Amino acid sequence: LMVNPRKPQITGRQLRAARAWLGWSQQDLSDRSKISKRSIARFEGLETVAYDDTLDALQRTLEEAGMLFIFDGPRGVGVRAK
């Protein structure tokens, strides 16, 4: 699935901030989410747009670890602990 413009999407900055809060490396997130470290690095570095399935897996993994993503409409604007 490609990116759905109407669905709220996490951003690379949110992803990086959530990892930092948890003290996780890109490899830690990769191991837990089953998404490649290279994909995570490229998304966080704003080099690419990720697929919906990839973003869903990353967001779900971080939410299960206690993070909450904040949106303004479809735009990701922040992250905090639950």
Side-chain angles (χ1 to χ4, degrees):
L1 292 172
M2 295 297 288
V3 173
N4 178 345
R6 292 177 296 279
K7 180 181 176 200
Q9 297 284 336
I10 62 171
T11 66
R13 288 183 178 100
Q14 284 178 299
L15 187 65
R16 197 168 47 247
R19 273 195 318 99
W21 183 273
L22 293 168
W24 288 5
S25 67
Q26 288 177 342
Q27 187 63 56
D28 292 331
L29 180 56
S30 175
D31 293 344
R32 288 171 169 88
S33 67
K34 307 300 185 229
I35 301 298
S36 75
K37 181 181 172 188
R38 183 171 188 264
S39 292
I40 292 167
R42 291 181 66 201
F43 182 63
E44 286 185 354
L46 310 176
E47 297 174 29
T48 187
V49 175
Y51 292 106
D52 279 349
D53 290 348
T54 299
L55 293 177
D56 289 345
L58 294 168
Q59 183 172 344
R60 183 174 51 255
T61 299
L62 291 162
E63 286 175 342
E64 287 171 357
M67 301 310 299
L68 177 67
F69 292 91
I70 303 163
F71 298 94
D72 180 7
R75 194 177 64 125
V77 295
V79 63
R80 68 176 180 86
K82 289 184 183 175

